[in-house]
Structure formats: structure tokens, C-alpha cells
Amino acid sequence: MTLANGRHYLAIPGPSVMPDAVLQAMHRPAPNIYAGELVDLTHSLMPDLRRVARTEGNVAIYIGNGHAAWEAALANVVAPGETVLVPATGRFGIGWGEMAADLGAEVQLIDHGKRSPMDMARIEEALRADKAHKIKAVLAVHVDTATSVRNDIVALRRVMDQAGHPALLMADCIASLACDRFEMDAWGADVTVTGCQKGLMVPPGLGFVFFNEKAARVRQAMPRVSRYWDWAPRANPQVYYQHFCGTAPTHHLYGLRVALDMLMDEGMEAVWARHEKLAGAIWEACDAWSKGGPLELNIADRANRSRAVTALRLGEDRATRLRDWTDSQAGVTLGIGLGMAEPDDPAWHGFFRLGHMGHVSAGMVMGMLGAIEAGLTACDIAHGPGALEAAARALV
Ligand SMILES: *Cc1c(COP(=O)(O)O)cnc(C)c1O
């Protein structure tokens, strides 16, 4: 007997739960890619994507995942031999820096480790030390999905301005967009990258790069940009195929249209408030469990935590045992730890993550927490009482 039958819940930090309406919109025959509905639909996506990122700037869509969006953004503004500053706060910050290095950039890494947000003083110091203004861009991950740290992009903009440094502020909002509040223009990000399979609730396959006029000018001064990554024709196409440098991602566009409709109907303020409230319930439950056992939230200070993902520490092999139990016995798949230990290190089995991004409700979060509570008991992992009561109180 198993209690895992019924609708399975993938509670990992991406791909996120997809709304049935998104899936149904994708279930259709191939549309004409030269004229008609799909062309109009694509144009209708742009203003709503801008509303989600809170920008009046440009947006280019790529067929690709978040890694593709990383590369697309870099390819438009950083030439081989140029320098980028990478204030990393987890595996994803490190990864974006590695990609820049592979593209020939000089990477100046400030590694903040696995449990801390960006230290603005260290960043300001690095910018001030760069008297020749060799640093062309700062690669900032808003929410690092590995550590679940949330960085303060407003404060980063402030120290860049204080240092009088002209580098581009590039923000990775792949985990955070449409979950954690993010306001590209008001916060002063020049470039924002994201993907479609997290807060945007669409199956993996689309990457987005938003860029402002300053970034567009940097692009114009580049010696060359590959035709595929070039954001200029994608953002301002003369003919439809230029949007995608070839065949459009037809079905993803239909899915994205519905996902954006859902976000617009809910309203971005309400979307952010929902994620805030649900994350608060998860943290309350974790605090209660941690009072009587080994569970620990990876990020101690609430102000530095993401509202989209929560990284947790259980130690020894407990996280893997718990994940196996909830997956096979309760129909809830929890996320693996990422970047906290090497996969061949036994310590790897002590980390896990909860995804709470996108199409999630109070009922789903309470179900996930209930499955964890049962799993902790079934796996004989010590934990404090009252987690579900505490989570429920946080929801009202
Ligand atoms: C998921 C994620 C990525 C990578 O996206 P893929 O679609 O897996 O390539 C990069 N950065 C952050 C912050 C992410 O959450």
C-alpha cells in the first residue's frame, strides 16, 4: 500500500507546478508561423512580460533555458578579454561566472559562500579599486536557488552609483521573477534574465533577456555579436521570424499567453503577497521542527530569504531518506540540495530544498508541510512539535 496515489506534487524549485490552463492551451495542432493568430499573440506577450519585470525596456525571447538566457545576456555586452564582477552567493552565481569565463571574460569573483547575501561593502571596495573601469558588468543573482538567499538589488545599485562605476547591473531573476518582488526600472537593473519554468509556470524551454537603453548602447559598441544571441532583432523585429532567429517556439507561446493572463488577472502585487505569505508559513513550520531536532534553515535572517525556494539542512543522510519517503509514500517530491556538497560526498544527503514558486496555494503548501511532518516521523528524524499549527497561523 502507498499513499502516493492521486495527483503528484513536484515541490522542487523548478520546473514549477504548471496550471492545467497552461497545459490545455498548449494542446493543439501546429499553428501557422507566418501569419495570423500566433503572430498577434507573440506581440501581445511583450507588454505583459514588461509588466511582470516592471520595466519599460526591451525584451528578447530565446528558445532555451536559463543557462541560454545567461549566455544570451553575456554575448550582447561582454567581449572576450573584458572583465565582469561576480558577487556569488551560491551555485548559480558561481555558474553564471563560469559561463562568462568560458566565453572568454576575465571573471573577478567575490565568493560570499553558501549562507550569506552579498556584502555591499566588499562590492563597493572592488568597484572603487577598479579605477580604469575595466569591469564591464556586475553579474548579480537576485535569488540564488541553491542557497535560497535573496540579494538586495536596490542596495547593489546604490553602491555602484556611490562608487561612480559605469558597469552594467545584470540581474539573474530566473528563480525570483513573479515570486519575489522585483522592479527592474525602479531598482536600476540594466539587464534582467529569466526563464519560463519557474514563476512563469510554463514548461522549460523559453529564456528571456530584458535590457534598457544603456545596455542597448553597450551592445551597439560590441565588435560582434552572434546572430543567434543578438537581442536587437529579437526585441525589434522587422519580420516575425526575427523574434526567434528562425521557427517560433509555437506551443510555449500559447502556454505563456495563458500564464501571463493568470498573473495579470491576479495582479503582480497580489502575486508577490501570496508568495510572501506562503513562504512565511513554510518558515514557521521549519522553525518549529528545528526546535526539537537537526533541521536548520540555510539562511538565518528572514530578510535575506527567497519567497520562491527554501534551502534546508538536515545532516547525515536524513534529507535523502526524507525525500525518498515523501516521494514514494506521500506523492510529494522535494528538491535535492544543490551546490552545498559534491554529489559523491556523503554530506550531499543532508541537504534539501522546497520549491514554492508559481502556481502554488495555501492548500498545496500545507499538504507539502504535512507530508514532511509525516516523513520526519516515519524516518525517525527528531523534530519539534507544532509545525503545522504554526504554519496555519501564518496563513491567516
Ligand atoms: C533555475 C536557475 C538557473 C538555470 O536555469 P535553467 O533553466 O536550469 O538553465 C539559473 N539561475 C537561477 C537563479 C535559477 O534559479
Side-chain angles (χ1 to χ4, degrees), residues 19 41 43 65 78 89 128 139 146 186 190 256 260 277 339 347 381:
L41 181 143
H43 294 307
N65 57 15
V78 182
T89 56
R128 285 190 190 279
L139 309 188
D190 298 304
L256 179 61
L260 289 170
K277 196 92 172 162
I381 299 168

Side-chain angles (χ1 to χ4, degrees), residues 23-48:
L23 296 173
Q24 281 152 10
M26 297 177 76
H27 193 86
R28 64 172 71 220
N32 186 356
I33 56 167
Y34 298 110
E37 187 185 59
L38 188 73
V39 176
D40 298 337
L41 181 143
T42 302
H43 294 307
S44 80
L45 299 172
M46 305 303 171
D48 288 337

Side-chain angles (χ1 to χ4, degrees), residues 106-136:
E106 293 292 324
V107 175
Q108 205 177 317
L109 177 69
I110 304 178
D111 191 348
H112 293 82
K114 295 168 180 164
R115 306 195 76 166
S116 310
M118 290 176 193
D119 176 348
M120 297 305 160
R122 282 177 78 188
I123 296 170
E124 184 166 0
E125 194 186 334
L127 291 169
R128 285 190 190 279
D130 177 33
K131 298 242 172 357
H133 291 168
K134 282 172 71 177
I135 296 169
K136 198 150 184 218

Side-chain angles (χ1 to χ4, degrees), residues 67 75 123 125 130 137 206 251 276 322 364 366 379 383 393:
H67 282 72
I123 296 170
E125 194 186 334
D130 177 33
L206 298 179
H251 289 65
E276 174 100 30
L322 175 69
M364 293 162 75
M366 289 305 291
C379 296
H383 56 282
R393 269 197 305 277

Side-chain angles (χ1 to χ4, degrees), residues 65-67 70 92 141 143 145 172 174-175 197-198:
N65 57 15
H67 282 72
W70 274 351
F92 287 95
V141 176
V143 163
T145 322
D172 170 346
I174 298 171
Q197 79 276 26
K198 295 181 184 177

Side-chain angles (χ1 to χ4, degrees), residues 307-339:
R307 276 67 176 153
V309 50
T310 297
L312 295 157
R313 301 168 166 253
L314 259 182
E316 298 177 4
D317 63 348
R318 297 184 194 103
T320 295
R321 286 197 290 121
L322 175 69
R323 285 192 304 101
D324 286 348
W325 192 91
T326 61
D327 186 61
S328 64
Q329 301 302 316
V332 177
T333 301
L334 307 176
I336 58 167
L338 204 60

